[in-house]
Amino acid sequence: MTAEVAVANKAAIALAADSAVTVSAQGIQKVINGANKRFQLDHDLPIAFMFYGNATLGLAPVESLLKTFRPIVRGKVVSSLSEYADAFWAFVETGVPEFDAAARTADMKRLVS
């Protein structure tokens, strides 16, 4: 089980997540401590992503997607946080060849419900 916390005040939001992940293979489960569930979008931007549950979208690991997405937004200035989210989903839809339409649709529905 993942624990994530976001604490907000007028000046900022602090994000925290545990580092344990459970890996299952052939009916055996193993807990690994040290996973990163929190990713800063760029070192110059105070924007981060946190995720829990399945750490993949389609066949792509979320961590790999975010690391590939970083250079695309590096140095770009937008007017709202939702524009970064829109840019990320556009990247996922068009820039990741291992995503097929069915996997994208299923993952989007799972994530937003």
Side-chain angles (χ1 to χ4, degrees):
M1 180 185 317
T2 293
E4 292 182 340
V5 177
V7 179
N9 64 25
K10 291 180 182 179
I13 299 174
L15 303 176
D18 70 321
S19 63
V21 294
T22 303
V23 179
S24 300
Q26 299 174 349
I28 300 171
Q29 290 188 338
K30 181 176 181 176
V31 176
I32 300 171
N33 294 306
N36 192 0
K37 299 176 185 176
R38 198 173 29 97
F39 294 91
Q40 189 168 348
L41 183 56
D42 185 60
H43 295 294
D44 296 329
L45 298 171
I47 299 169
F49 288 83
M50 288 194 314
F51 63 90
Y52 64 92
N54 188 355
T56 61
L57 288 173
L59 301 175
V62 172
E63 180 175 2
S64 297
L65 289 172
L66 291 171
K67 288 181 178 179
T68 304
F69 178 64
R70 282 175 177 164
I72 294 170
V73 296
R74 185 169 289 134
K76 293 185 180 179
V77 178
V78 299
S79 61
S80 71
L81 186 58
S82 66
E83 289 183 46
Y84 287 109
D86 293 343
F88 178 71
W89 289 120
F91 162 76
V92 169
E93 293 259 331
T94 61
V96 185
E98 59 267 20
F99 265 28
D100 64 16
R104 282 196 310 265
T105 300
D107 282 336
M108 292 289 195
K109 286 180 179 177
R110 177 181 57 82
L111 288 170
V112 297
S113 61

